[in-house]
């Protein structure tokens, strides 16, 4: 593969030890998949912080929000016959699925786009209701005017839904609850209207007929979504053979909307690809990567909490330069740069 992306030489830029846990009894296992935005003269990352209690010998323990809105710790003997731990991310206990870690969103700031630190004046975003009881994950940030729209996976026993919040100042938020019902994630809102309508990419999953395909929908108000269309399906024997989902908000270019997306195989190897959508009708796919534009190569991408993963849902565009921020091996945060023209030249 051509080397389209130049990774930051200081990667990983953030690790689980870079910030403090939200509670003394929790440990940060993974920092991953940040949403990215510009605010005033700074670049902000909205990190996904995945935590769990320090594990006791012979037990598996993980947090979840109870019916009273309080975090409780589930503790299950590891030798329980009702326990399935075949996926490090998921606990199946007595037939019910939980997550091994609980995620919240935390803000870190930078002036150079490489060195990030927390500013305690800005609050974290925690699980807060029946739809977020297992956590909040993989937030995309879309700026429309002076308002930032946050779309994230909200996980609970009700399923995985797309939740939305908005903010103008990163201090106070309006919450809209779920905007797409289960099973749905990877929602990226376009940052401007097309023919008077808002558009969003998202990824419903159909477990029987169908699969994990990318869809596009339109809306008059960012809350009510309709005119749903499936625009990209998984492809056998490709890097996106098992599932795919949009990264951050698509980038307008003279050739069309460029969407950087993740594709995964049946073996859960996560790479990045690109889609080019018609500028005036983004339900039309003009081109799509045949091979990954970026794949796990570095040790920090191959080995970690969940290895062989590059997952991006946030970027900054500076002229022709695209800077992506990504979760590597579901454990650390990294950055990489590419020329938008060079990505487009692989498509058109
Ligand atoms: C899913 C999501 C992501 C995660 C990948 C790889 O797509 O849970 O947050 O990075 O799997 O584990």
């Amino acid at each position: 593969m051509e080397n389209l992306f130049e990774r930051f030489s200081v990667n990983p830029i953030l690790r689980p030890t870079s910030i403090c846990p939200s509670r003394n009894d929790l440990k940060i296992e993974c920092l991953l998949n940040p949403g990215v935005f510009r605010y005033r003269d700074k670049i902000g990352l909205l990190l996904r912080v995945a935590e769990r209690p320090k594990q006791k010998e012979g037990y598996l323990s993980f947090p979840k929000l109870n019916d009273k809105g309080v975090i409780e710790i589930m503790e299950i003997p590891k030798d329980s016959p009702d326990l399935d731990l075949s996926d490090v991310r998921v606990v199946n206990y007595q037939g019910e699925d939980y997550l091994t870690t609980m995620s919240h969103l935390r803000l870190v700031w930078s002036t150079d786009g490489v060195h990030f630190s927390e500013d305690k004046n800005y609050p974290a975003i925690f699980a807060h209701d029946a739809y977020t009881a297992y956590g909040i994950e993989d937030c995309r940030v879309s700026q429309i005017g002076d308002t930032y729209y946050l779309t994230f996976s909200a996980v609970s026993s009700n399923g995985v839904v797309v939740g939305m919040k908005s903010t103008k100042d990163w201090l106070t938020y309006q919450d809209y609850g779920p905007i797409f019902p289960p099973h749905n994630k990877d929602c990226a809102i376009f940052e401007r209207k097309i023919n008077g309508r808002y558009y969003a990419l998202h990824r419903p999953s159909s477990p029987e007929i169908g699969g994990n395909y990318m869809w596009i929908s339109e809306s008059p108000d960012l809350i009510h979504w309709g005119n749903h269309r499936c625009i990209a399906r998984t492809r056998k024997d490709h890097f996106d053979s098992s599932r795919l989902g949009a990264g951050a908000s698509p980038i307008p270019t003279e050739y069309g909307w460029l969407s950087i997306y993740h594709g995964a195989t049946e073996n859960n190897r996560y790479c990045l690809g690109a889609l080019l959508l018609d500028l005036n009708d983004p339900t039309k796919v003009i081109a799509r990567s045949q091979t990954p534009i970026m794949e796990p190569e570095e040790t920090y991408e191959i080995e970690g909490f969940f290895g062989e993963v590059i997952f991006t849902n946030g970027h900054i565009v500076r002229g022709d330069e695209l800077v992506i921020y990504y979760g590597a091996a579901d454990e650390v945060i990294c950055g990489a740069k590419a020329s938008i023209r060079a990505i487009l030249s692989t498509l058109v």
Side-chain angles (χ1 to χ4, degrees), residues 189-211:
I189 295 175
F190 290 63
E191 289 183 317
R192 61 176 197 231
K193 285 182 173 175
I194 303 158
N195 299 317
R197 313 285 280 180
Y198 294 108
Y199 280 83
L201 301 173
H202 59 104
R203 211 286 298 287
S205 295
S206 179
E208 285 146 14
I209 296 177

Side-chain angles (χ1 to χ4, degrees), residues 38 81 97 104 188 225 265 280 342:
R38 283 195 175 95
D97 279 328
H104 66 274
W225 294 91
T265 60
N280 292 312

Side-chain angles (χ1 to χ4, degrees), residues 22 46 104-107 118 120 122-126 170 173:
S22 63
L46 199 48
H104 66 274
L105 304 176
R106 195 90 70 88
L107 285 161
E118 261 190 288
K120 294 284 183 198
Y122 292 95
I125 303 174
F126 290 103
W170 299 98
Y173 294 87

Side-chain angles (χ1 to χ4, degrees), residues 242-263:
S242 176
R243 69 195 83 91
L244 68 152
S249 187
I251 304 155
T253 74
E254 60 181 302
Y255 299 102
W257 294 96
L258 176 65
S259 166
I260 308 295
Y261 72 92
H262 67 265

Side-chain angles (χ1 to χ4, degrees), residues 23 45 81 97 105 127 154 164 215 253 294 341:
R23 298 182 1 164
L45 301 185
D97 279 328
L105 304 176
M164 185 167 80
W215 288 61
T253 74
M294 188 171 171
R341 242 179 290 120

Side-chain angles (χ1 to χ4, degrees), residues 156-172:
S156 74
S157 57
N158 293 307
V160 182
V161 302
V162 176
M164 185 167 80
K165 288 177 189 289
S166 69
T167 185
K168 285 183 197 289
D169 56 11
W170 299 98
L171 296 169
T172 55

Side-chain angles (χ1 to χ4, degrees), residues 32-33 48 89 137-138 185 270 306 309 311 330:
L32 57 168
N33 311 352
R48 171 178 165 199
R89 302 167 300 178
E137 306 183 351
D138 305 347
K185 44 167 61 177
Y270 280 70
F306 195 72
V309 172
F311 189 105
D330 277 0

Side-chain angles (χ1 to χ4, degrees), residues 23-216:
R23 298 182 1 164
N24 288 339
D25 59 341
L26 296 179
K27 176 174 181 262
I28 299 177
E29 293 290 341
C30 325
L31 282 191
L32 57 168
N33 311 352
V36 182
F37 60 93
R38 283 195 175 95
Y39 179 62
R40 298 189 172 152
D41 54 350
K42 295 204 162 68
I43 293 175
L45 301 185
L46 199 48
L47 307 176
R48 171 178 165 199
V49 181
E51 300 178 307
R52 66 176 165 189
K54 290 185 189 99
Q55 301 295 296
K56 272 194 249 162
E57 181 80 32
Y59 286 88
L60 176 90
S61 52
F62 57 91
K64 74 174 192 60
L65 211 63
N66 67 19
D67 297 344
K68 297 186 183 69
V70 176
I71 290 182
E72 66 178 18
I73 307 296
M74 301 271 292
E75 203 166 75
I76 299 166
K78 273 199 172 155
D79 57 7
S80 166
D82 302 327
L83 185 64
D84 176 358
L85 289 177
S86 49
D87 185 326
V88 70
R89 302 167 300 178
V90 183
V91 183
N92 184 282
Y93 182 57
Q94 296 178 334
E96 179 110 15
D97 279 328
Y98 302 93
L99 296 180
T100 49
T101 58
M102 182 174 185
S103 295
H104 66 274
L105 304 176
R106 195 90 70 88
L107 285 161
V108 291
W109 303 95
S110 171
T111 47
D112 65 3
V114 176
H115 301 92
F116 286 86
S117 58
E118 261 190 288
D119 174 344
K120 294 284 183 198
N121 293 316
Y122 292 95
I125 303 174
F126 290 103
H128 48 83
D129 62 13
Y131 300 103
T132 55
Y134 299 173
I136 308 179
E137 306 183 351
D138 305 347
C139 188
R140 277 81 177 163
V141 179
S142 297
Q143 186 179 357
I144 301 175
D146 62 353
T147 306
Y148 298 88
Y149 291 90
L150 282 54
T151 48
F152 47 84
S153 305
V155 191
S156 74
S157 57
N158 293 307
V160 182
V161 302
V162 176
M164 185 167 80
K165 288 177 189 289
S166 69
T167 185
K168 285 183 197 289
D169 56 11
W170 299 98
L171 296 169
T172 55
Y173 294 87
Q174 186 171 344
D175 186 41
Y176 303 86
I179 57 164
F180 288 105
H183 181 108
N184 205 316
K185 44 167 61 177
D186 303 325
C187 176
I189 295 175
F190 290 63
E191 289 183 317
R192 61 176 197 231
K193 285 182 173 175
I194 303 158
N195 299 317
R197 313 285 280 180
Y198 294 108
Y199 280 83
L201 301 173
H202 59 104
R203 211 286 298 287
S205 295
S206 179
E208 285 146 14
I209 296 177
N212 302 300
Y213 306 156
M214 198 192 295
W215 288 61
I216 191 165

